[in-house]
Amino acid sequence: MGKVLRRLLIDGQLVDPGRHYPSINPATGSVIEEAPDATVEHAESAIRAARHAFDDTDWSTNVAKRVQCLRQLHEALQRHREELGQLTIAECGHTPMLVAGPALDDPISVLGYYAELAEKFAFTEDLGEHESRGAMHRRSVEREPAGVVSAIVAYNYPMQLALAKLAPALAAGCTVVLKGAPQTPLLAVALGELIAAETDMPAGVVNVITSSEVAVGEVLTTHPDVDMITFTGSTPVGRQIMAAASPTVKRVFLELGGKSALILLDDADIEMPALIAAMSICSHAGQGCAITSRLLVPRSRHDEIVERVKAHLSNVKVGNPTEPGNYMGPLISQAQREKVDGMVQRAIEAGAQLAMGGHSIDGPGFFYAPTLLTNVDPDSEVAQDELFGPVLAVIAFDDDDDAVRIANNSIFGLSGGVYGADTDRAMAVARRIRTGTVGVNGGVWFAPDAPFGGYKQSGIGREMGAAGLAEFLETKTIAVPVG
Protein backbone atom coordinates (compact mmCIF):
# COMPACT_ATOMS: atom_id res chain seq x y z
CA MET A 1 0.00 0.00 0.00
CA GLY A 2 2.90 2.35 0.73
CA LYS A 3 2.05 5.95 1.52
CA VAL A 4 -1.64 6.61 1.98
CA LEU A 5 -3.21 8.07 -1.16
CA ARG A 6 -4.95 11.25 -0.18
CA ARG A 7 -7.94 10.69 -2.42
CA LEU A 8 -11.59 9.73 -2.19
CA LEU A 9 -13.00 6.57 -3.76
CA ILE A 10 -15.95 7.51 -5.97
CA ASP A 11 -17.39 5.32 -8.73
CA GLY A 12 -14.30 3.12 -8.86
CA GLN A 13 -11.88 6.04 -9.20
CA LEU A 14 -9.52 7.64 -6.69
CA VAL A 15 -10.50 11.31 -6.75
CA ASP A 16 -8.52 14.31 -5.54
CA PRO A 17 -11.13 16.72 -4.10
CA GLY A 18 -8.77 19.65 -4.45
CA ARG A 19 -8.80 20.46 -0.77
CA HIS A 20 -7.52 18.73 2.35
CA TYR A 21 -7.45 19.00 6.12
CA PRO A 22 -4.98 17.68 8.71
CA SER A 23 -5.31 14.41 10.56
CA ILE A 24 -3.77 14.87 14.02
CA ASN A 25 -1.86 12.29 16.05
CA PRO A 26 -3.59 12.53 19.45
CA ALA A 27 -0.51 11.29 21.29
CA THR A 28 1.71 14.08 19.99
CA GLY A 29 -0.62 16.79 18.70
CA SER A 30 1.30 16.80 15.42
CA VAL A 31 -0.07 16.41 11.89
CA ILE A 32 0.19 12.89 10.49
CA GLU A 33 -0.89 13.75 6.99
CA GLU A 34 -3.43 15.80 5.07
CA ALA A 35 -6.72 14.00 4.40
CA PRO A 36 -9.05 14.57 1.45
CA ASP A 37 -11.89 16.94 2.32
CA ALA A 38 -15.00 16.05 0.33
CA THR A 39 -17.63 18.62 -0.60
CA VAL A 40 -21.37 18.14 -0.87
CA GLU A 41 -20.89 17.63 -4.61
CA HIS A 42 -18.52 14.72 -3.96
CA ALA A 43 -21.07 13.14 -1.63
CA GLU A 44 -23.78 13.50 -4.27
CA SER A 45 -21.49 11.93 -6.89
CA ALA A 46 -20.82 9.00 -4.57
CA ILE A 47 -24.56 8.48 -4.00
CA ARG A 48 -25.22 8.57 -7.76
CA ALA A 49 -22.49 5.98 -8.31
CA ALA A 50 -23.92 3.71 -5.62
CA ARG A 51 -27.43 4.10 -7.04
CA HIS A 52 -26.23 3.16 -10.54
CA ALA A 53 -24.27 0.17 -9.25
CA PHE A 54 -27.32 -1.11 -7.38
CA ASP A 55 -29.93 -0.47 -10.07
CA ASP A 56 -28.03 -1.18 -13.27
CA THR A 57 -25.54 -3.97 -12.50
CA ASP A 58 -25.96 -7.54 -11.25
CA TRP A 59 -24.27 -6.82 -7.90
CA SER A 60 -27.54 -7.13 -5.97
CA THR A 61 -28.21 -10.63 -7.36
CA ASN A 62 -24.71 -12.05 -7.89
CA VAL A 63 -23.90 -13.76 -4.59
CA ALA A 64 -20.77 -15.43 -5.94
CA LYS A 65 -19.32 -12.08 -6.97
CA ARG A 66 -20.04 -10.60 -3.57
CA VAL A 67 -18.36 -13.49 -1.78
CA GLN A 68 -15.33 -13.19 -4.08
CA CYS A 69 -14.94 -9.46 -3.39
CA LEU A 70 -15.35 -9.85 0.36
CA ARG A 71 -12.62 -12.48 0.39
CA GLN A 72 -10.36 -10.33 -1.75
CA LEU A 73 -10.74 -7.42 0.66
CA HIS A 74 -10.16 -9.75 3.60
CA GLU A 75 -6.91 -10.95 2.05
CA ALA A 76 -5.83 -7.40 1.13
CA LEU A 77 -6.27 -6.19 4.69
CA GLN A 78 -4.31 -9.18 5.99
CA ARG A 79 -1.47 -8.42 3.58
CA HIS A 80 -1.30 -4.80 4.70
CA ARG A 81 -1.96 -5.45 8.36
CA GLU A 82 1.34 -4.03 9.62
CA GLU A 83 0.97 -0.73 7.76
CA LEU A 84 -2.66 -0.42 8.83
CA GLY A 85 -1.65 -1.20 12.40
CA GLN A 86 0.89 1.61 12.44
CA LEU A 87 -1.68 4.01 11.01
CA THR A 88 -4.25 2.91 13.61
CA ILE A 89 -1.80 3.65 16.43
CA ALA A 90 -0.87 7.04 14.97
CA GLU A 91 -4.35 8.26 14.06
CA CYS A 92 -6.50 6.78 16.84
CA GLY A 93 -4.07 6.52 19.73
CA HIS A 94 -4.68 2.78 20.03
CA THR A 95 -2.05 0.63 21.71
CA PRO A 96 -0.54 -2.38 19.90
CA MET A 97 -2.59 -4.63 22.19
CA LEU A 98 -5.82 -3.05 20.91
CA VAL A 99 -4.58 -3.25 17.32
CA ALA A 100 -4.18 -7.00 17.87
CA GLY A 101 -7.82 -7.11 18.98
CA PRO A 102 -10.85 -4.86 18.45
CA ALA A 103 -9.03 -2.02 16.70
CA LEU A 104 -7.83 -4.01 13.66
CA ASP A 105 -7.37 -7.79 13.78
CA ASP A 106 -10.90 -8.56 14.97
CA PRO A 107 -12.48 -6.28 12.34
CA ILE A 108 -10.48 -7.93 9.57
CA SER A 109 -11.95 -11.28 10.62
CA VAL A 110 -15.45 -9.85 10.18
CA LEU A 111 -14.96 -9.88 6.39
CA GLY A 112 -14.20 -13.60 6.39
CA TYR A 113 -17.22 -14.31 8.57
CA TYR A 114 -19.65 -12.51 6.26
CA ALA A 115 -18.15 -14.02 3.11
CA GLU A 116 -18.86 -17.46 4.57
CA LEU A 117 -22.31 -16.46 5.80
CA ALA A 118 -23.32 -15.03 2.41
CA GLU A 119 -22.15 -18.21 0.69
CA LYS A 120 -24.46 -20.42 2.75
CA PHE A 121 -27.30 -17.99 3.52
CA ALA A 122 -30.80 -18.93 2.28
CA PHE A 123 -31.83 -15.80 0.38
CA THR A 124 -34.93 -17.74 -0.74
CA GLU A 125 -37.14 -19.72 1.63
CA ASP A 126 -39.83 -22.12 0.42
CA LEU A 127 -43.01 -21.83 2.48
CA GLY A 128 -44.70 -24.71 0.68
CA GLU A 129 -48.25 -24.78 -0.60
CA HIS A 130 -51.30 -23.18 0.94
CA GLU A 131 -55.01 -23.51 0.08
CA SER A 132 -56.95 -20.29 -0.38
CA ARG A 133 -60.37 -19.83 -1.98
CA GLY A 134 -60.48 -23.30 -3.43
CA ALA A 135 -57.03 -23.18 -5.04
CA MET A 136 -53.51 -24.13 -4.02
CA HIS A 137 -50.70 -21.60 -4.02
CA ARG A 138 -46.96 -22.10 -3.79
CA ARG A 139 -45.27 -19.44 -1.69
CA SER A 140 -41.70 -18.31 -1.11
CA VAL A 141 -39.93 -15.63 0.86
CA GLU A 142 -37.19 -13.68 -0.92
CA ARG A 143 -34.62 -11.73 1.07
CA GLU A 144 -33.34 -8.91 -1.07
CA PRO A 145 -30.81 -6.13 -0.42
CA ALA A 146 -32.14 -2.91 1.08
CA GLY A 147 -30.46 -0.76 -1.60
CA VAL A 148 -28.06 2.17 -1.31
CA VAL A 149 -26.57 2.49 2.17
CA SER A 150 -24.99 5.52 3.84
CA ALA A 151 -22.51 4.17 6.40
CA ILE A 152 -21.25 6.77 8.88
CA VAL A 153 -18.66 5.78 11.46
CA ALA A 154 -17.25 7.23 14.69
CA TYR A 155 -13.62 7.92 15.56
CA ASN A 156 -13.00 5.53 18.43
CA TYR A 157 -12.72 2.19 16.56
CA PRO A 158 -12.96 3.31 12.93
CA MET A 159 -11.89 0.07 11.24
CA GLN A 160 -14.20 -2.07 13.37
CA LEU A 161 -17.12 0.25 12.76
CA ALA A 162 -16.45 0.52 9.02
CA LEU A 163 -16.10 -3.21 8.41
CA ALA A 164 -18.99 -4.16 10.71
CA LYS A 165 -21.16 -2.05 8.39
CA LEU A 166 -19.46 -2.66 5.06
CA ALA A 167 -19.16 -6.45 5.27
CA PRO A 168 -22.83 -7.32 5.93
CA ALA A 169 -24.07 -4.60 3.57
CA LEU A 170 -21.98 -6.04 0.74
CA ALA A 171 -22.87 -9.62 1.66
CA ALA A 172 -26.54 -8.64 1.41
CA GLY A 173 -26.05 -7.08 -2.03
CA CYS A 174 -26.27 -3.42 -1.07
CA THR A 175 -24.06 -0.66 -2.40
CA VAL A 176 -22.42 1.71 0.05
CA VAL A 177 -21.20 5.24 0.60
CA LEU A 178 -18.86 5.02 3.58
CA LYS A 179 -18.01 8.25 5.41
CA GLY A 180 -14.99 8.11 7.68
CA ALA A 181 -14.95 10.01 10.96
CA PRO A 182 -13.52 13.56 10.64
CA GLN A 183 -11.01 12.85 13.41
CA THR A 184 -9.70 9.60 11.85
CA PRO A 185 -9.98 10.06 8.08
CA LEU A 186 -6.77 8.37 6.96
CA LEU A 187 -7.92 4.86 7.89
CA ALA A 188 -11.03 5.30 5.75
CA VAL A 189 -8.86 6.59 2.90
CA ALA A 190 -6.56 3.57 3.25
CA LEU A 191 -9.54 1.23 3.08
CA GLY A 192 -10.80 2.93 -0.08
CA GLU A 193 -7.36 2.66 -1.65
CA LEU A 194 -7.19 -1.08 -1.01
CA ILE A 195 -10.68 -1.65 -2.41
CA ALA A 196 -9.71 0.19 -5.58
CA ALA A 197 -6.30 -1.44 -6.01
CA GLU A 198 -6.68 -4.99 -4.75
CA THR A 199 -10.27 -6.13 -5.26
CA ASP A 200 -12.59 -6.68 -8.21
CA MET A 201 -15.30 -4.59 -6.56
CA PRO A 202 -17.37 -3.10 -9.42
CA ALA A 203 -17.33 0.68 -9.77
CA GLY A 204 -19.79 2.39 -7.46
CA VAL A 205 -20.40 -0.59 -5.18
CA VAL A 206 -18.23 0.95 -2.47
CA ASN A 207 -17.52 4.67 -2.30
CA VAL A 208 -15.37 6.12 0.49
CA ILE A 209 -15.38 9.79 1.44
CA THR A 210 -13.96 11.87 4.27
CA SER A 211 -14.90 15.43 5.06
CA SER A 212 -14.72 18.18 7.65
CA GLU A 213 -18.10 19.57 6.51
CA VAL A 214 -21.25 18.84 8.50
CA ALA A 215 -23.25 19.38 5.30
CA VAL A 216 -21.70 16.26 3.77
CA GLY A 217 -23.20 14.11 6.52
CA GLU A 218 -26.54 15.85 6.05
CA VAL A 219 -26.59 14.87 2.37
CA LEU A 220 -25.91 11.24 3.25
CA THR A 221 -28.85 11.17 5.68
CA THR A 222 -31.43 13.07 3.61
CA HIS A 223 -30.74 12.25 -0.05
CA PRO A 224 -33.75 10.53 -1.68
CA ASP A 225 -31.52 7.98 -3.44
CA VAL A 226 -30.25 6.64 -0.12
CA ASP A 227 -32.39 3.73 1.09
CA MET A 228 -30.74 3.03 4.44
CA ILE A 229 -28.50 4.72 7.00
CA THR A 230 -26.17 2.84 9.34
CA PHE A 231 -24.60 5.14 11.92
CA THR A 232 -22.38 4.74 14.96
CA GLY A 233 -21.93 7.73 17.22
CA SER A 234 -23.50 9.70 20.03
CA THR A 235 -27.15 9.49 20.98
CA PRO A 236 -27.83 13.21 20.32
CA VAL A 237 -26.53 12.85 16.75
CA GLY A 238 -28.50 9.62 16.39
CA ARG A 239 -31.67 11.51 17.23
CA GLN A 240 -30.84 14.07 14.54
CA ILE A 241 -30.28 11.31 11.98
CA MET A 242 -33.64 9.71 12.78
CA ALA A 243 -35.31 13.07 12.22
CA ALA A 244 -33.40 13.67 8.99
CA ALA A 245 -34.33 10.23 7.65
CA SER A 246 -38.02 10.50 8.49
CA PRO A 247 -39.25 12.53 5.47
CA THR A 248 -38.15 9.71 3.14
CA VAL A 249 -38.77 6.95 5.74
CA LYS A 250 -35.31 5.47 5.33
CA ARG A 251 -34.39 2.33 7.14
CA VAL A 252 -32.14 3.35 10.04
CA PHE A 253 -29.59 1.35 12.03
CA LEU A 254 -28.16 3.22 15.01
CA GLU A 255 -25.41 2.13 17.40
CA LEU A 256 -25.29 4.93 19.92
CA GLY A 257 -24.08 5.81 23.39
CA GLY A 258 -23.77 3.81 26.57
CA LYS A 259 -23.39 4.21 30.31
CA SER A 260 -22.93 0.56 31.14
CA ALA A 261 -22.89 -0.83 34.66
CA LEU A 262 -20.62 -3.50 36.13
CA ILE A 263 -22.32 -5.04 39.18
CA LEU A 264 -20.29 -6.73 41.91
CA LEU A 265 -22.66 -8.85 43.98
CA ASP A 266 -22.04 -9.17 47.70
CA ASP A 267 -20.66 -12.72 47.37
CA ALA A 268 -18.16 -11.83 44.63
CA ASP A 269 -14.43 -12.31 45.02
CA ILE A 270 -13.53 -8.69 44.34
CA GLU A 271 -9.97 -9.05 43.02
CA MET A 272 -10.74 -9.99 39.42
CA PRO A 273 -13.72 -7.64 38.89
CA ALA A 274 -11.76 -4.78 40.50
CA LEU A 275 -8.96 -5.42 37.99
CA ILE A 276 -11.42 -5.68 35.09
CA ALA A 277 -13.17 -2.45 36.12
CA ALA A 278 -9.87 -0.57 36.23
CA MET A 279 -8.45 -1.95 32.99
CA SER A 280 -11.73 -1.59 31.10
CA ILE A 281 -12.19 2.11 31.90
CA CYS A 282 -8.62 2.76 30.76
CA SER A 283 -8.95 0.77 27.54
CA HIS A 284 -8.53 3.30 24.72
CA ALA A 285 -8.75 5.98 27.44
CA GLY A 286 -12.39 5.10 28.05
CA GLN A 287 -13.39 5.91 24.48
CA GLY A 288 -15.69 2.95 23.97
CA CYS A 289 -19.48 2.96 23.93
CA ALA A 290 -19.74 -0.46 25.62
CA ILE A 291 -17.18 0.20 28.38
CA THR A 292 -18.56 -0.31 31.89
CA SER A 293 -18.17 3.22 33.24
CA ARG A 294 -20.39 2.70 36.29
CA LEU A 295 -19.17 0.30 38.99
CA LEU A 296 -22.02 -0.82 41.25
CA VAL A 297 -20.84 -2.23 44.59
CA PRO A 298 -22.50 -3.45 47.79
CA ARG A 299 -22.74 -0.57 50.24
CA SER A 300 -21.09 -2.66 52.95
CA ARG A 301 -18.03 -3.31 50.75
CA HIS A 302 -17.78 0.11 49.06
CA ASP A 303 -14.52 1.25 50.67
CA GLU A 304 -12.84 -2.16 50.34
CA ILE A 305 -13.62 -2.37 46.62
CA VAL A 306 -12.61 1.23 45.99
CA GLU A 307 -9.17 0.54 47.48
CA ARG A 308 -8.64 -2.48 45.21
CA VAL A 309 -9.77 -0.58 42.10
CA LYS A 310 -7.57 2.37 43.06
CA ALA A 311 -4.58 0.06 43.43
CA HIS A 312 -5.10 -1.37 39.97
CA LEU A 313 -5.65 2.06 38.42
CA SER A 314 -2.43 3.33 39.96
CA ASN A 315 -0.54 0.62 38.04
CA VAL A 316 -1.87 1.71 34.65
CA LYS A 317 0.93 3.13 32.52
CA VAL A 318 -0.24 6.12 30.48
CA GLY A 319 1.63 7.52 27.51
CA ASN A 320 2.39 7.39 23.82
CA PRO A 321 1.11 4.02 22.53
CA THR A 322 4.27 3.59 20.46
CA GLU A 323 6.27 3.21 23.68
CA PRO A 324 6.37 -0.37 25.04
CA GLY A 325 4.49 -0.99 28.26
CA ASN A 326 1.99 1.84 27.97
CA TYR A 327 -1.50 0.49 28.51
CA MET A 328 -3.53 3.69 28.02
CA GLY A 329 -3.09 6.20 25.24
CA PRO A 330 -4.60 9.65 24.66
CA LEU A 331 -8.06 11.04 24.17
CA ILE A 332 -8.78 11.89 20.56
CA SER A 333 -8.56 15.69 20.84
CA GLN A 334 -8.16 18.66 23.12
CA ALA A 335 -11.90 19.31 22.84
CA GLN A 336 -12.64 15.81 24.14
CA ARG A 337 -10.16 16.26 26.99
CA GLU A 338 -11.86 19.50 27.99
CA LYS A 339 -15.26 17.79 27.90
CA VAL A 340 -14.04 14.97 30.15
CA ASP A 341 -12.42 17.33 32.65
CA GLY A 342 -15.49 19.54 32.73
CA MET A 343 -17.72 16.60 33.67
CA VAL A 344 -15.27 15.43 36.34
CA GLN A 345 -15.06 18.87 37.97
CA ARG A 346 -18.85 19.25 37.94
CA ALA A 347 -19.20 15.79 39.51
CA ILE A 348 -16.90 16.80 42.36
CA GLU A 349 -18.83 20.04 42.85
CA ALA A 350 -22.06 17.97 42.97
CA GLY A 351 -20.73 15.82 45.82
CA ALA A 352 -18.80 12.91 44.29
CA GLN A 353 -15.48 12.17 46.00
CA LEU A 354 -12.29 12.13 43.94
CA ALA A 355 -10.28 9.04 44.88
CA MET A 356 -7.60 9.57 42.23
CA GLY A 357 -6.91 11.35 38.96
CA GLY A 358 -9.20 14.15 37.85
CA HIS A 359 -6.69 16.13 35.80
CA SER A 360 -5.03 16.45 32.41
CA ILE A 361 -1.50 15.14 31.99
CA ASP A 362 1.10 17.72 30.99
CA GLY A 363 3.12 17.31 27.83
CA PRO A 364 2.35 16.76 24.17
CA GLY A 365 -0.85 14.98 23.22
CA PHE A 366 -4.29 14.82 24.77
CA PHE A 367 -3.76 12.62 27.84
CA TYR A 368 -5.99 12.49 30.91
CA ALA A 369 -5.23 10.74 34.18
CA PRO A 370 -7.20 7.58 35.06
CA THR A 371 -9.89 8.90 37.36
CA LEU A 372 -11.92 7.26 40.12
CA LEU A 373 -15.01 8.95 41.56
CA THR A 374 -16.68 7.39 44.60
CA ASN A 375 -19.98 7.79 46.44
CA VAL A 376 -21.53 8.92 43.18
CA ASP A 377 -25.21 9.82 43.15
CA PRO A 378 -26.86 7.46 40.61
CA ASP A 379 -28.99 10.34 39.32
CA SER A 380 -26.08 12.77 38.83
CA GLU A 381 -24.69 13.90 35.48
CA VAL A 382 -21.55 11.77 35.70
CA ALA A 383 -23.68 8.67 36.36
CA GLN A 384 -26.19 9.43 33.62
CA ASP A 385 -24.33 11.01 30.67
CA GLU A 386 -21.83 9.32 28.39
CA LEU A 387 -18.40 10.73 29.18
CA PHE A 388 -16.03 8.88 26.79
CA GLY A 389 -12.99 9.18 28.99
CA PRO A 390 -11.03 7.19 31.62
CA VAL A 391 -13.42 8.01 34.45
CA LEU A 392 -15.02 5.31 36.61
CA ALA A 393 -18.00 6.21 38.79
CA VAL A 394 -18.54 4.00 41.85
CA ILE A 395 -22.13 3.72 43.05
CA ALA A 396 -23.27 1.83 46.16
CA PHE A 397 -26.35 -0.43 46.26
CA ASP A 398 -28.24 -2.21 49.02
CA ASP A 399 -29.33 -5.54 47.48
CA ASP A 400 -29.82 -7.27 44.12
CA ASP A 401 -33.05 -5.44 43.38
CA ASP A 402 -31.41 -2.11 44.12
CA ALA A 403 -28.45 -2.98 41.88
CA VAL A 404 -30.76 -3.84 38.99
CA ARG A 405 -32.75 -0.67 39.54
CA ILE A 406 -29.62 1.49 39.44
CA ALA A 407 -28.21 -0.33 36.41
CA ASN A 408 -31.48 0.24 34.53
CA ASN A 409 -31.75 3.85 35.70
CA SER A 410 -30.38 5.16 32.40
CA ILE A 411 -31.57 6.25 28.99
CA PHE A 412 -28.91 3.87 27.67
CA GLY A 413 -28.89 0.10 27.42
CA LEU A 414 -25.82 -1.04 25.52
CA SER A 415 -23.79 -3.35 27.72
CA GLY A 416 -22.99 -4.39 31.25
CA GLY A 417 -21.47 -7.01 33.50
CA VAL A 418 -22.18 -9.00 36.63
CA TYR A 419 -19.79 -10.77 39.01
CA GLY A 420 -20.90 -13.21 41.69
CA ALA A 421 -19.77 -16.46 43.31
CA ASP A 422 -23.15 -18.06 42.57
CA THR A 423 -23.33 -18.21 38.76
CA ASP A 424 -27.08 -18.87 38.73
CA ARG A 425 -27.68 -15.79 40.85
CA ALA A 426 -25.38 -13.68 38.65
CA MET A 427 -27.18 -14.95 35.54
CA ALA A 428 -30.54 -14.06 37.09
CA VAL A 429 -29.33 -10.50 37.69
CA ALA A 430 -27.88 -10.29 34.17
CA ARG A 431 -31.22 -11.25 32.64
CA ARG A 432 -32.89 -8.36 34.43
CA ILE A 433 -30.47 -5.75 33.04
CA ARG A 434 -32.00 -4.09 29.98
CA THR A 435 -28.97 -4.02 27.71
CA GLY A 436 -27.98 -5.60 24.43
CA THR A 437 -24.92 -7.41 25.82
CA VAL A 438 -23.90 -8.59 29.28
CA GLY A 439 -20.78 -10.41 30.46
CA VAL A 440 -21.21 -12.68 33.47
CA ASN A 441 -18.13 -13.43 35.59
CA GLY A 442 -15.83 -12.15 32.87
CA GLY A 443 -17.62 -13.74 29.92
CA VAL A 444 -16.60 -12.12 26.61
CA TRP A 445 -19.38 -11.62 24.08
CA PHE A 446 -17.50 -9.72 21.36
CA ALA A 447 -17.05 -11.83 18.20
CA PRO A 448 -18.07 -11.62 14.51
CA ASP A 449 -20.99 -14.03 15.03
CA ALA A 450 -22.40 -12.30 18.12
CA PRO A 451 -25.07 -9.60 17.60
CA PHE A 452 -24.17 -6.25 19.13
CA GLY A 453 -26.47 -3.32 19.77
CA GLY A 454 -28.50 -1.61 22.42
CA TYR A 455 -31.82 -1.20 24.15
CA LYS A 456 -33.49 2.16 24.71
CA GLN A 457 -31.49 5.16 23.50
CA SER A 458 -28.38 3.08 22.84
CA GLY A 459 -29.68 2.38 19.38
CA ILE A 460 -31.86 0.51 16.93
CA GLY A 461 -30.95 -2.84 15.40
CA ARG A 462 -27.99 -5.17 15.72
CA GLU A 463 -24.53 -5.23 14.17
CA MET A 464 -22.48 -8.43 13.63
CA GLY A 465 -23.76 -11.99 13.37
CA ALA A 466 -26.66 -13.17 11.24
CA ALA A 467 -28.71 -10.36 12.80
CA GLY A 468 -26.27 -7.88 11.28
CA LEU A 469 -26.89 -9.30 7.81
CA ALA A 470 -30.65 -9.13 8.33
CA GLU A 471 -30.41 -5.37 8.93
CA PHE A 472 -29.49 -4.90 5.26
CA LEU A 473 -32.17 -7.19 3.81
CA GLU A 474 -35.76 -6.54 2.75
CA THR A 475 -38.30 -9.37 2.94
CA LYS A 476 -40.57 -10.11 -0.02
CA THR A 477 -43.27 -12.81 -0.05
CA ILE A 478 -44.22 -14.25 -3.46
CA ALA A 479 -47.10 -16.58 -4.29
CA VAL A 480 -48.02 -18.37 -7.52
CA PRO A 481 -51.01 -20.66 -8.20
CA VAL A 482 -50.27 -24.37 -8.43
CA GLY A 483 -51.35 -26.01 -11.70
Side-chain angles (χ1 to χ4, degrees):
M1 184 174 63
K3 185 179 179 180
V4 174
L5 294 177
R6 297 177 294 275
R7 289 181 283 176
L8 313 169
L9 176 60
I10 299 175
D11 202 14
Q13 302 296 314
L14 293 171
V15 177
D16 181 357
R19 63 180 199 174
H20 304 81
Y21 71 101
S23 177
I24 304 298
N25 184 326
T28 65
S30 60
V31 175
I32 305 168
E33 197 168 345
E34 295 289 319
D37 195 4
T39 64
V40 166
E41 289 73 22
H42 291 112
E44 291 172 340
S45 295
I47 293 169
R48 282 196 300 272
R51 185 81 264 166
H52 169 71
F54 185 80
D55 291 341
D56 302 325
T57 76
D58 70 346
W59 177 260
S60 66
T61 57
N62 192 337
V63 177
K65 181 69 171 180
R66 304 200 299 261
V67 170
Q68 174 198 5
C69 290
L70 283 169
R71 288 190 171 137
Q72 287 175 336
L73 183 55
H74 184 207
E75 292 165 4
L77 290 173
Q78 289 176 316
R79 282 193 297 271
H80 295 281
R81 189 269 180 195
E82 292 308 313
E83 297 155 79
L84 290 169
Q86 292 172 14
L87 182 57
T88 301
I89 292 169
E91 190 168 51
C92 304
H94 284 298
T95 61
M97 182 176 68
L98 288 174
V99 169
L104 184 60
D105 287 0
D106 290 347
I108 290 174
S109 72
V110 171
L111 288 162
Y113 169 80
Y114 277 107
E116 183 176 341
L117 182 60
E119 198 167 39
K120 66 184 182 182
F121 188 79
F123 288 94
T124 300
E125 178 187 1
D126 185 0
L127 291 184
E129 296 182 1
H130 175 71
E131 188 277 330
S132 178
R133 299 177 184 178
M136 298 301 293
H137 304 265
R138 181 176 297 112
R139 297 144 319 126
S140 64
V141 174
E142 306 283 341
R143 290 181 174 84
E144 301 176 347
V148 174
V149 175
S150 287
I152 304 171
V153 304
Y155 68 78
N156 56 335
Y157 286 88
M159 193 61 79
Q160 164 63 29
L161 300 177
L163 295 181
K165 299 176 186 308
L166 196 60
L170 297 179
C174 296
T175 58
V176 181
V177 179
L178 174 68
K179 180 181 179 294
Q183 302 93 332
T184 54
L186 298 179
L187 280 166
V189 170
L191 182 60
E193 177 187 1
L194 287 178
I195 290 170
E198 301 192 23
T199 77
D200 295 321
M201 208 81 71
V205 166
V206 178
N207 307 270
V208 180
I209 63 175
T210 58
S211 181
S212 63
E213 270 193 50
V214 173
V216 168
E218 292 173 349
V219 169
L220 295 180
T221 58
T222 59
H223 199 288
D225 281 341
V226 171
D227 300 298
M228 177 178 172
I229 303 165
T230 173
F231 167 79
T232 298
S234 72
T235 292
V237 177
R239 296 184 193 119
Q240 294 172 9
I241 287 175
M242 286 188 73
S246 64
T248 49
V249 196
K250 300 185 192 304
R251 177 179 290 202
V252 176
F253 168 86
L254 302 173
E255 196 269 283
L256 306 176
K259 195 70 182 179
S260 303
L262 176 61
I263 300 174
L264 275 60
L265 299 178
D266 56 16
D267 65 348
D269 180 346
I270 67 170
E271 189 60 30
M272 181 54 67
L275 175 62
I276 293 298
M279 303 312 282
S280 176
I281 200 63
C282 293
S283 177
H284 195 27
Q287 297 169 113
C289 52
I291 286 174
T292 46
S293 54
R294 292 182 294 160
L295 179 61
L296 276 54
V297 304
R299 195 173 304 279
S300 62
R301 304 185 71 184
H302 178 279
D303 294 349
E304 172 193 8
I305 294 170
V306 165
E307 287 305 309
R308 293 311 305 147
V309 174
K310 184 177 177 180
H312 290 303
L313 279 175
S314 66
N315 289 326
V316 172
K317 291 188 67 177
V318 181
N320 193 314
T322 61
E323 297 173 5
N326 285 337
Y327 177 81
M328 189 181 103
L331 294 168
I332 194 65
S333 66
Q334 175 62 16
Q336 181 62 21
R337 183 163 67 171
E338 290 173 358
K339 174 192 172 184
V340 169
D341 190 59
M343 288 187 69
V344 169
Q345 302 314 318
R346 290 194 298 274
I348 296 168
E349 292 170 4
Q353 296 177 5
L354 180 65
M356 67 176 295
H359 59 85
S360 298
I361 296 176
D362 293 336
F366 312 120
F367 294 92
Y368 197 81
T371 298
L372 185 63
L373 296 171
T374 68
N375 291 299
V376 172
D377 182 341
D379 293 322
S380 65
E381 178 194 38
V382 76
Q384 290 291 322
D385 291 353
E386 186 173 46
L387 194 144
F388 241 51
V391 180
L392 183 63
V394 182
I395 302 172
F397 65 84
D398 295 318
D399 54 25
D400 291 6
D401 289 343
D402 194 33
V404 170
R405 180 189 63 78
I406 294 170
N408 289 336
N409 175 30
S410 173
I411 65 169
F412 302 112
L414 191 56
S415 193
V418 182
Y419 273 87
D422 183 338
T423 301
D424 289 341
R425 177 188 175 195
M427 286 289 292
V429 170
R431 290 191 174 101
R432 295 172 64 191
I433 300 173
R434 291 185 51 77
T435 62
T437 56
V438 185
V440 175
N441 288 337
V444 178
W445 43 262
F446 185 78
D449 62 345
F452 173 65
Y455 288 24
K456 300 186 281 186
Q457 293 189 41
S458 282
I460 298 172
R462 293 294 180 269
E463 214 157 48
M464 312 280 274
L469 179 63
E471 294 291 340
F472 296 93
L473 294 170
E474 294 281 10
T475 300
K476 177 186 290 181
T477 303
I478 300 175
V480 61
V482 176

